[in-house]
Amino acid sequence: MMETQALDFPKINAVLRTNGTGEVTINGTSHAIEAADEAAVLNDALRLITETAVQLGRPVRVSTTDPDGQGLIIVSPDGVVSEATPIKPTSRSGQEASPVPAAPSPERAEATTAPAPTPGVPGLEESPAQPAGDTPVTFGAITAAPAQETATASPAAAAEPAARRSLKDTSFLVSAPVLQPATRGWRGALSRLGFRMDPSPEELAERDDIRTVSQHWPGPRTVAVVNRKGGANKTPTVVMLSAILARYSGAATVAWDNNESQGTLGWRTEKGGHDNSVLDLIDSSQALLSPSAQAAEIARFVHHQTADKFDVLRSDENDEGDHEVTAEEVDIAHQVLTRYYRLIVMDSGNTARAANWRRMIHHTNQLVVPVTAIEDRAEAARLTLQTLESRGGHDAELARNAVVIVSESTDAKRSMSGDALKRAKDEAQRIAGAFTPHVRAVVRIPYDPALVNGPIRYDALQPPTQRAWLAAAAAVAKGF
């Protein structure tokens, strides 16, 4: 086989970057690659590697690195690429190591002793393979007799009808999904060139997260984002979770600023063609809940995010107003929103004793607690969870099942770099580790300048930040 001829010499490392550059290092000699796109970078890299294989007259093993991680491939002198698996090199005497007999697969072993059901076809079996010229492979009904007895059975016994199973217990449909080839990194680039490569573990994990956030659940779901300390990243968390759940699931999603007076969700999101807020929605609740109300009427009260596909229900932004949302008004607004939306993601104020805050918790299915890499934000998060746990019942269950999202930033209004960023990473890791034993999931979010100031857009985030928020949204969705 091609792979068994590929030795560890020469040492070849190939790097594929997302910015259209790459690098191939052969025994310490680096060859930088710049091209118009990823495919051109890959072609140049394969050319260099193939030339090395041609000079040696045998395949070479290549260690690959890309944003998804590391891997091993084999490149032959004629340019054929395959995945590599660790093998033992030939001995110094030039003799090959004695091959280890491969253990028969469970299917083959089972076929030699007893009939095995055919995958996807309950009640049917496939006979063991027979030499050429013998009776062709056939399918027969499962019987209780051993295989040897079946082979020696008399013709009269063979003619007896076997016990039959109901056709309702049989299906020829194969339900297992077909694994799609890799789409990212070295594996994805090779797949696009015609070398079908399986996705990396990182890509498989991302696909699993996408499936999780793409589900539709029976009945509406409400997510509450809470931390009694300001500047803990509550509003960016609400925006990111809403954007990801709306984008991937296609479900009607609304982000609701449940601040008791004036919140900031409206400042960080796109404004619609009106100035209406939650107070206007409450005033019109009777009409919105009437049997004759149409789905599109909710647009008069929410602000649609054209890129991220969710709506925003703003808090009252009247500087001269002094109204504070009551528990009864939370009930009314929630009743209206569950009539028009599948998913509700609620921003909150900083007072766990406020009536609207406590009523929000009553309606919550999943609790999310964001923190930044500052100890007082983490302490406030701990106290928030402790308060809910002490109340028992539904509140305590929410605390135990909470998702903590730790952002690697120290101040939502200030950019970071250098040593400050490193310190923030270390502190975020410490905080995440401390929360892990107490909640269902903890997710870390890398620092991203696109989250510091101004309107928040999912597309403006760096790819690692997008991936981290996808993992956070999947952790949340697993609690629905």
Side-chain angles (χ1 to χ4, degrees), residues 357-385:
W357 197 99
R358 298 191 65 160
R359 201 59 184 168
M360 170 188 68
I361 294 299
H362 171 77
H363 292 292
T364 296
N365 301 110
Q366 176 62 56
L367 192 73
V368 176
V369 183
V371 299
T372 55
I374 302 178
E375 61 182 18
D376 66 343
R377 269 63 164 185
E379 181 65 9
R382 184 191 69 80
L383 292 173
T384 302
L385 290 169

PDB file of all heavy atoms in Angstrom, residues 357-385:
ATOM      1  N   TRP A 357     -37.732  41.447  37.471  1.00  0.00           N
ATOM      2  CA  TRP A 357     -36.634  40.473  37.410  1.00  0.00           C
ATOM      3  C   TRP A 357     -37.120  39.123  37.924  1.00  0.00           C
ATOM      4  O   TRP A 357     -36.906  38.090  37.289  1.00  0.00           O
ATOM      5  CB  TRP A 357     -35.463  40.976  38.246  1.00  0.00           C
ATOM      6  CG  TRP A 357     -34.137  40.312  37.980  1.00  0.00           C
ATOM      7  CD1 TRP A 357     -33.120  40.790  37.197  1.00  0.00           C
ATOM      8  CD2 TRP A 357     -33.666  39.073  38.537  1.00  0.00           C
ATOM      9  NE1 TRP A 357     -32.048  39.912  37.213  1.00  0.00           N
ATOM     10  CE2 TRP A 357     -32.364  38.856  38.028  1.00  0.00           C
ATOM     11  CE3 TRP A 357     -34.212  38.133  39.405  1.00  0.00           C
ATOM     12  CZ2 TRP A 357     -31.606  37.726  38.360  1.00  0.00           C
ATOM     13  CZ3 TRP A 357     -33.462  36.996  39.717  1.00  0.00           C
ATOM     14  CH2 TRP A 357     -32.168  36.814  39.203  1.00  0.00           C
ATOM     15  N   ARG A 358     -37.786  39.128  39.063  1.00  0.00           N
ATOM     16  CA  ARG A 358     -38.244  37.874  39.655  1.00  0.00           C
ATOM     17  C   ARG A 358     -39.339  37.221  38.801  1.00  0.00           C
ATOM     18  O   ARG A 358     -39.401  35.997  38.700  1.00  0.00           O
ATOM     19  CB  ARG A 358     -38.753  38.113  41.074  1.00  0.00           C
ATOM     20  CG  ARG A 358     -37.678  38.644  42.001  1.00  0.00           C
ATOM     21  CD  ARG A 358     -38.091  38.632  43.445  1.00  0.00           C
ATOM     22  NE  ARG A 358     -38.286  37.264  43.941  1.00  0.00           N
ATOM     23  CZ  ARG A 358     -38.274  36.944  45.231  1.00  0.00           C
ATOM     24  NH1 ARG A 358     -38.073  37.879  46.153  1.00  0.00           N
ATOM     25  NH2 ARG A 358     -38.470  35.701  45.619  1.00  0.00           N
ATOM     26  N   ARG A 359     -40.182  38.056  38.167  1.00  0.00           N
ATOM     27  CA  ARG A 359     -41.217  37.475  37.305  1.00  0.00           C
ATOM     28  C   ARG A 359     -40.597  36.890  36.036  1.00  0.00           C
ATOM     29  O   ARG A 359     -41.100  35.904  35.488  1.00  0.00           O
ATOM     30  CB  ARG A 359     -42.259  38.537  36.960  1.00  0.00           C
ATOM     31  CG  ARG A 359     -43.581  37.927  36.528  1.00  0.00           C
ATOM     32  CD  ARG A 359     -44.150  37.044  37.618  1.00  0.00           C
ATOM     33  NE  ARG A 359     -45.369  36.370  37.195  1.00  0.00           N
ATOM     34  CZ  ARG A 359     -45.926  35.386  37.870  1.00  0.00           C
ATOM     35  NH1 ARG A 359     -45.381  34.958  39.005  1.00  0.00           N
ATOM     36  NH2 ARG A 359     -47.040  34.813  37.433  1.00  0.00           N
ATOM     37  N   MET A 360     -39.534  37.509  35.546  1.00  0.00           N
ATOM     38  CA  MET A 360     -38.802  36.955  34.395  1.00  0.00           C
ATOM     39  C   MET A 360     -38.327  35.540  34.714  1.00  0.00           C
ATOM     40  O   MET A 360     -38.448  34.620  33.888  1.00  0.00           O
ATOM     41  CB  MET A 360     -37.612  37.857  34.055  1.00  0.00           C
ATOM     42  CG  MET A 360     -36.637  37.273  33.048  1.00  0.00           C
ATOM     43  SD  MET A 360     -35.154  38.284  32.874  1.00  0.00           S
ATOM     44  CE  MET A 360     -34.398  38.037  34.509  1.00  0.00           C
ATOM     45  N   ILE A 361     -37.762  35.358  35.913  1.00  0.00           N
ATOM     46  CA  ILE A 361     -37.267  34.046  36.315  1.00  0.00           C
ATOM     47  C   ILE A 361     -38.408  33.025  36.331  1.00  0.00           C
ATOM     48  O   ILE A 361     -38.227  31.856  35.965  1.00  0.00           O
ATOM     49  CB  ILE A 361     -36.599  34.132  37.703  1.00  0.00           C
ATOM     50  CG1 ILE A 361     -35.334  35.001  37.618  1.00  0.00           C
ATOM     51  CG2 ILE A 361     -36.258  32.749  38.229  1.00  0.00           C
ATOM     52  CD1 ILE A 361     -34.268  34.467  36.683  1.00  0.00           C
ATOM     53  N   HIS A 362     -39.588  33.455  36.737  1.00  0.00           N
ATOM     54  CA  HIS A 362     -40.753  32.553  36.761  1.00  0.00           C
ATOM     55  C   HIS A 362     -41.032  31.984  35.369  1.00  0.00           C
ATOM     56  O   HIS A 362     -41.431  30.814  35.234  1.00  0.00           O
ATOM     57  CB  HIS A 362     -41.981  33.310  37.271  1.00  0.00           C
ATOM     58  CG  HIS A 362     -43.259  32.546  37.135  1.00  0.00           C
ATOM     59  ND1 HIS A 362     -43.621  31.523  37.982  1.00  0.00           N
ATOM     60  CD2 HIS A 362     -44.266  32.650  36.206  1.00  0.00           C
ATOM     61  CE1 HIS A 362     -44.784  31.024  37.605  1.00  0.00           C
ATOM     62  NE2 HIS A 362     -45.207  31.698  36.538  1.00  0.00           N
ATOM     63  N   HIS A 363     -40.827  32.769  34.321  1.00  0.00           N
ATOM     64  CA  HIS A 363     -41.124  32.341  32.953  1.00  0.00           C
ATOM     65  C   HIS A 363     -39.929  31.662  32.278  1.00  0.00           C
ATOM     66  O   HIS A 363     -40.069  31.193  31.139  1.00  0.00           O
ATOM     67  CB  HIS A 363     -41.536  33.553  32.102  1.00  0.00           C
ATOM     68  CG  HIS A 363     -42.853  34.148  32.500  1.00  0.00           C
ATOM     69  ND1 HIS A 363     -44.057  33.497  32.321  1.00  0.00           N
ATOM     70  CD2 HIS A 363     -43.159  35.344  33.079  1.00  0.00           C
ATOM     71  CE1 HIS A 363     -45.043  34.262  32.755  1.00  0.00           C
ATOM     72  NE2 HIS A 363     -44.525  35.392  33.215  1.00  0.00           N
ATOM     73  N   THR A 364     -38.792  31.590  32.918  1.00  0.00           N
ATOM     74  CA  THR A 364     -37.553  31.151  32.265  1.00  0.00           C
ATOM     75  C   THR A 364     -37.457  29.636  32.171  1.00  0.00           C
ATOM     76  O   THR A 364     -37.748  28.910  33.117  1.00  0.00           O
ATOM     77  CB  THR A 364     -36.333  31.692  33.050  1.00  0.00           C
ATOM     78  OG1 THR A 364     -36.349  33.117  32.993  1.00  0.00           O
ATOM     79  CG2 THR A 364     -35.036  31.179  32.456  1.00  0.00           C
ATOM     80  N   ASN A 365     -37.014  29.168  30.989  1.00  0.00           N
ATOM     81  CA  ASN A 365     -36.692  27.756  30.790  1.00  0.00           C
ATOM     82  C   ASN A 365     -35.197  27.478  30.917  1.00  0.00           C
ATOM     83  O   ASN A 365     -34.801  26.376  31.305  1.00  0.00           O
ATOM     84  CB  ASN A 365     -37.149  27.299  29.401  1.00  0.00           C
ATOM     85  CG  ASN A 365     -38.632  27.490  29.189  1.00  0.00           C
ATOM     86  OD1 ASN A 365     -39.045  28.352  28.413  1.00  0.00           O
ATOM     87  ND2 ASN A 365     -39.450  26.703  29.869  1.00  0.00           N
ATOM     88  N   GLN A 366     -34.361  28.443  30.547  1.00  0.00           N
ATOM     89  CA  GLN A 366     -32.911  28.260  30.600  1.00  0.00           C
ATOM     90  C   GLN A 366     -32.254  29.546  31.089  1.00  0.00           C
ATOM     91  O   GLN A 366     -32.509  30.626  30.551  1.00  0.00           O
ATOM     92  CB  GLN A 366     -32.355  27.885  29.224  1.00  0.00           C
ATOM     93  CG  GLN A 366     -30.836  27.777  29.156  1.00  0.00           C
ATOM     94  CD  GLN A 366     -30.297  26.683  30.065  1.00  0.00           C
ATOM     95  OE1 GLN A 366     -30.696  25.534  29.963  1.00  0.00           O
ATOM     96  NE2 GLN A 366     -29.389  27.040  30.953  1.00  0.00           N
ATOM     97  N   LEU A 367     -31.396  29.408  32.087  1.00  0.00           N
ATOM     98  CA  LEU A 367     -30.688  30.551  32.650  1.00  0.00           C
ATOM     99  C   LEU A 367     -29.287  30.639  32.069  1.00  0.00           C
ATOM    100  O   LEU A 367     -28.577  29.631  31.945  1.00  0.00           O
ATOM    101  CB  LEU A 367     -30.594  30.399  34.173  1.00  0.00           C
ATOM    102  CG  LEU A 367     -30.126  31.637  34.952  1.00  0.00           C
ATOM    103  CD1 LEU A 367     -31.235  32.678  34.988  1.00  0.00           C
ATOM    104  CD2 LEU A 367     -29.711  31.244  36.370  1.00  0.00           C
ATOM    105  N   VAL A 368     -28.867  31.857  31.704  1.00  0.00           N
ATOM    106  CA  VAL A 368     -27.524  32.121  31.201  1.00  0.00           C
ATOM    107  C   VAL A 368     -26.905  33.220  32.050  1.00  0.00           C
ATOM    108  O   VAL A 368     -27.531  34.268  32.276  1.00  0.00           O
ATOM    109  CB  VAL A 368     -27.548  32.548  29.715  1.00  0.00           C
ATOM    110  CG1 VAL A 368     -26.147  32.908  29.231  1.00  0.00           C
ATOM    111  CG2 VAL A 368     -28.135  31.432  28.853  1.00  0.00           C
ATOM    112  N   VAL A 369     -25.680  32.986  32.526  1.00  0.00           N
ATOM    113  CA  VAL A 369     -25.006  33.948  33.391  1.00  0.00           C
ATOM    114  C   VAL A 369     -23.697  34.364  32.722  1.00  0.00           C
ATOM    115  O   VAL A 369     -22.737  33.595  32.711  1.00  0.00           O
ATOM    116  CB  VAL A 369     -24.729  33.345  34.783  1.00  0.00           C
ATOM    117  CG1 VAL A 369     -24.103  34.399  35.694  1.00  0.00           C
ATOM    118  CG2 VAL A 369     -26.006  32.797  35.397  1.00  0.00           C
ATOM    119  N   PRO A 370     -23.642  35.566  32.142  1.00  0.00           N
ATOM    120  CA  PRO A 370     -22.400  36.026  31.527  1.00  0.00           C
ATOM    121  C   PRO A 370     -21.493  36.719  32.540  1.00  0.00           C
ATOM    122  O   PRO A 370     -21.974  37.373  33.476  1.00  0.00           O
ATOM    123  CB  PRO A 370     -22.887  37.005  30.463  1.00  0.00           C
ATOM    124  CG  PRO A 370     -24.154  37.567  31.030  1.00  0.00           C
ATOM    125  CD  PRO A 370     -24.752  36.494  31.905  1.00  0.00           C
ATOM    126  N   VAL A 371     -20.195  36.582  32.358  1.00  0.00           N
ATOM    127  CA  VAL A 371     -19.215  37.291  33.178  1.00  0.00           C
ATOM    128  C   VAL A 371     -18.060  37.709  32.285  1.00  0.00           C
ATOM    129  O   VAL A 371     -17.828  37.126  31.226  1.00  0.00           O
ATOM    130  CB  VAL A 371     -18.676  36.435  34.345  1.00  0.00           C
ATOM    131  CG1 VAL A 371     -19.787  36.022  35.275  1.00  0.00           C
ATOM    132  CG2 VAL A 371     -17.953  35.198  33.818  1.00  0.00           C
ATOM    133  N   THR A 372     -17.327  38.728  32.714  1.00  0.00           N
ATOM    134  CA  THR A 372     -16.077  39.095  32.058  1.00  0.00           C
ATOM    135  C   THR A 372     -14.927  38.703  32.977  1.00  0.00           C
ATOM    136  O   THR A 372     -15.143  38.210  34.083  1.00  0.00           O
ATOM    137  CB  THR A 372     -16.038  40.601  31.764  1.00  0.00           C
ATOM    138  OG1 THR A 372     -16.257  41.321  32.992  1.00  0.00           O
ATOM    139  CG2 THR A 372     -17.120  40.989  30.760  1.00  0.00           C
ATOM    140  N   ALA A 373     -13.713  38.920  32.510  1.00  0.00           N
ATOM    141  CA  ALA A 373     -12.531  38.498  33.259  1.00  0.00           C
ATOM    142  C   ALA A 373     -12.178  39.496  34.355  1.00  0.00           C
ATOM    143  O   ALA A 373     -11.046  39.970  34.452  1.00  0.00           O
ATOM    144  CB  ALA A 373     -11.359  38.293  32.300  1.00  0.00           C
ATOM    145  N   ILE A 374     -13.154  39.839  35.155  1.00  0.00           N
ATOM    146  CA  ILE A 374     -12.968  40.730  36.299  1.00  0.00           C
ATOM    147  C   ILE A 374     -13.592  40.034  37.499  1.00  0.00           C
ATOM    148  O   ILE A 374     -14.718  39.546  37.434  1.00  0.00           O
ATOM    149  CB  ILE A 374     -13.622  42.101  36.073  1.00  0.00           C
ATOM    150  CG1 ILE A 374     -13.057  42.768  34.811  1.00  0.00           C
ATOM    151  CG2 ILE A 374     -13.399  43.008  37.272  1.00  0.00           C
ATOM    152  CD1 ILE A 374     -13.688  44.117  34.504  1.00  0.00           C
ATOM    153  N   GLU A 375     -12.879  40.015  38.614  1.00  0.00           N
ATOM    154  CA  GLU A 375     -13.326  39.218  39.739  1.00  0.00           C
ATOM    155  C   GLU A 375     -14.658  39.681  40.323  1.00  0.00           C
ATOM    156  O   GLU A 375     -15.462  38.863  40.780  1.00  0.00           O
ATOM    157  CB  GLU A 375     -12.258  39.192  40.828  1.00  0.00           C
ATOM    158  CG  GLU A 375     -11.895  40.551  41.408  1.00  0.00           C
ATOM    159  CD  GLU A 375     -10.800  40.457  42.459  1.00  0.00           C
ATOM    160  OE1 GLU A 375     -10.106  39.428  42.503  1.00  0.00           O
ATOM    161  OE2 GLU A 375     -10.662  41.423  43.224  1.00  0.00           O
ATOM    162  N   ASP A 376     -14.948  40.997  40.306  1.00  0.00           N
ATOM    163  CA  ASP A 376     -16.218  41.424  40.894  1.00  0.00           C
ATOM    164  C   ASP A 376     -17.405  41.017  40.016  1.00  0.00           C
ATOM    165  O   ASP A 376     -18.499  40.767  40.523  1.00  0.00           O
ATOM    166  CB  ASP A 376     -16.221  42.927  41.179  1.00  0.00           C
ATOM    167  CG  ASP A 376     -16.155  43.774  39.931  1.00  0.00           C
ATOM    168  OD1 ASP A 376     -15.793  43.247  38.863  1.00  0.00           O
ATOM    169  OD2 ASP A 376     -16.450  44.982  40.013  1.00  0.00           O
ATOM    170  N   ARG A 377     -17.194  40.905  38.673  1.00  0.00           N
ATOM    171  CA  ARG A 377     -18.263  40.398  37.802  1.00  0.00           C
ATOM    172  C   ARG A 377     -18.512  38.921  38.097  1.00  0.00           C
ATOM    173  O   ARG A 377     -19.656  38.459  38.133  1.00  0.00           O
ATOM    174  CB  ARG A 377     -17.891  40.565  36.336  1.00  0.00           C
ATOM    175  CG  ARG A 377     -18.310  41.855  35.673  1.00  0.00           C
ATOM    176  CD  ARG A 377     -17.680  43.072  36.264  1.00  0.00           C
ATOM    177  NE  ARG A 377     -17.793  44.247  35.412  1.00  0.00           N
ATOM    178  CZ  ARG A 377     -17.223  45.400  35.691  1.00  0.00           C
ATOM    179  NH1 ARG A 377     -16.516  45.549  36.807  1.00  0.00           N
ATOM    180  NH2 ARG A 377     -17.353  46.444  34.893  1.00  0.00           N
ATOM    181  N   ALA A 378     -17.422  38.179  38.321  1.00  0.00           N
ATOM    182  CA  ALA A 378     -17.560  36.761  38.638  1.00  0.00           C
ATOM    183  C   ALA A 378     -18.227  36.574  39.999  1.00  0.00           C
ATOM    184  O   ALA A 378     -19.071  35.686  40.181  1.00  0.00           O
ATOM    185  CB  ALA A 378     -16.193  36.085  38.613  1.00  0.00           C
ATOM    186  N   GLU A 379     -17.856  37.413  40.958  1.00  0.00           N
ATOM    187  CA  GLU A 379     -18.459  37.311  42.278  1.00  0.00           C
ATOM    188  C   GLU A 379     -19.946  37.650  42.213  1.00  0.00           C
ATOM    189  O   GLU A 379     -20.776  36.996  42.878  1.00  0.00           O
ATOM    190  CB  GLU A 379     -17.747  38.254  43.251  1.00  0.00           C
ATOM    191  CG  GLU A 379     -18.280  38.221  44.673  1.00  0.00           C
ATOM    192  CD  GLU A 379     -18.068  36.882  45.360  1.00  0.00           C
ATOM    193  OE1 GLU A 379     -17.364  36.013  44.809  1.00  0.00           O
ATOM    194  OE2 GLU A 379     -18.614  36.694  46.467  1.00  0.00           O
ATOM    195  N   ALA A 380     -20.301  38.656  41.420  1.00  0.00           N
ATOM    196  CA  ALA A 380     -21.713  38.995  41.258  1.00  0.00           C
ATOM    197  C   ALA A 380     -22.483  37.846  40.619  1.00  0.00           C
ATOM    198  O   ALA A 380     -23.633  37.564  40.991  1.00  0.00           O
ATOM    199  CB  ALA A 380     -21.854  40.257  40.418  1.00  0.00           C
ATOM    200  N   ALA A 381     -21.854  37.164  39.655  1.00  0.00           N
ATOM    201  CA  ALA A 381     -22.492  36.004  39.026  1.00  0.00           C
ATOM    202  C   ALA A 381     -22.710  34.895  40.048  1.00  0.00           C
ATOM    203  O   ALA A 381     -23.762  34.251  40.081  1.00  0.00           O
ATOM    204  CB  ALA A 381     -21.640  35.505  37.868  1.00  0.00           C
ATOM    205  N   ARG A 382     -21.703  34.671  40.892  1.00  0.00           N
ATOM    206  CA  ARG A 382     -21.838  33.642  41.922  1.00  0.00           C
ATOM    207  C   ARG A 382     -22.983  33.959  42.878  1.00  0.00           C
ATOM    208  O   ARG A 382     -23.785  33.077  43.226  1.00  0.00           O
ATOM    209  CB  ARG A 382     -20.531  33.502  42.700  1.00  0.00           C
ATOM    210  CG  ARG A 382     -20.537  32.380  43.734  1.00  0.00           C
ATOM    211  CD  ARG A 382     -19.343  32.440  44.647  1.00  0.00           C
ATOM    212  NE  ARG A 382     -19.384  33.606  45.543  1.00  0.00           N
ATOM    213  CZ  ARG A 382     -20.102  33.659  46.655  1.00  0.00           C
ATOM    214  NH1 ARG A 382     -20.872  32.637  47.016  1.00  0.00           N
ATOM    215  NH2 ARG A 382     -20.069  34.743  47.420  1.00  0.00           N
ATOM    216  N   LEU A 383     -23.063  35.208  43.290  1.00  0.00           N
ATOM    217  CA  LEU A 383     -24.119  35.608  44.206  1.00  0.00           C
ATOM    218  C   LEU A 383     -25.501  35.506  43.549  1.00  0.00           C
ATOM    219  O   LEU A 383     -26.484  35.170  44.215  1.00  0.00           O
ATOM    220  CB  LEU A 383     -23.870  37.031  44.705  1.00  0.00           C
ATOM    221  CG  LEU A 383     -22.645  37.206  45.623  1.00  0.00           C
ATOM    222  CD1 LEU A 383     -22.400  38.681  45.904  1.00  0.00           C
ATOM    223  CD2 LEU A 383     -22.840  36.430  46.926  1.00  0.00           C
ATOM    224  N   THR A 384     -25.566  35.807  42.255  1.00  0.00           N
ATOM    225  CA  THR A 384     -26.831  35.669  41.536  1.00  0.00           C
ATOM    226  C   THR A 384     -27.296  34.219  41.561  1.00  0.00           C
ATOM    227  O   THR A 384     -28.465  33.918  41.849  1.00  0.00           O
ATOM    228  CB  THR A 384     -26.682  36.148  40.086  1.00  0.00           C
ATOM    229  OG1 THR A 384     -26.234  37.508  40.069  1.00  0.00           O
ATOM    230  CG2 THR A 384     -28.000  36.048  39.341  1.00  0.00           C
ATOM    231  N   LEU A 385     -26.378  33.301  41.267  1.00  0.00           N
ATOM    232  CA  LEU A 385     -26.721  31.876  41.290  1.00  0.00           C
ATOM    233  C   LEU A 385     -27.058  31.418  42.710  1.00  0.00           C
ATOM    234  O   LEU A 385     -27.979  30.620  42.917  1.00  0.00           O
ATOM    235  CB  LEU A 385     -25.554  31.061  40.733  1.00  0.00           C
ATOM    236  CG  LEU A 385     -25.301  31.204  39.226  1.00  0.00           C
ATOM    237  CD1 LEU A 385     -23.970  30.571  38.831  1.00  0.00           C
ATOM    238  CD2 LEU A 385     -26.435  30.556  38.431  1.00  0.00           C
TER     239      LEU A 385
END
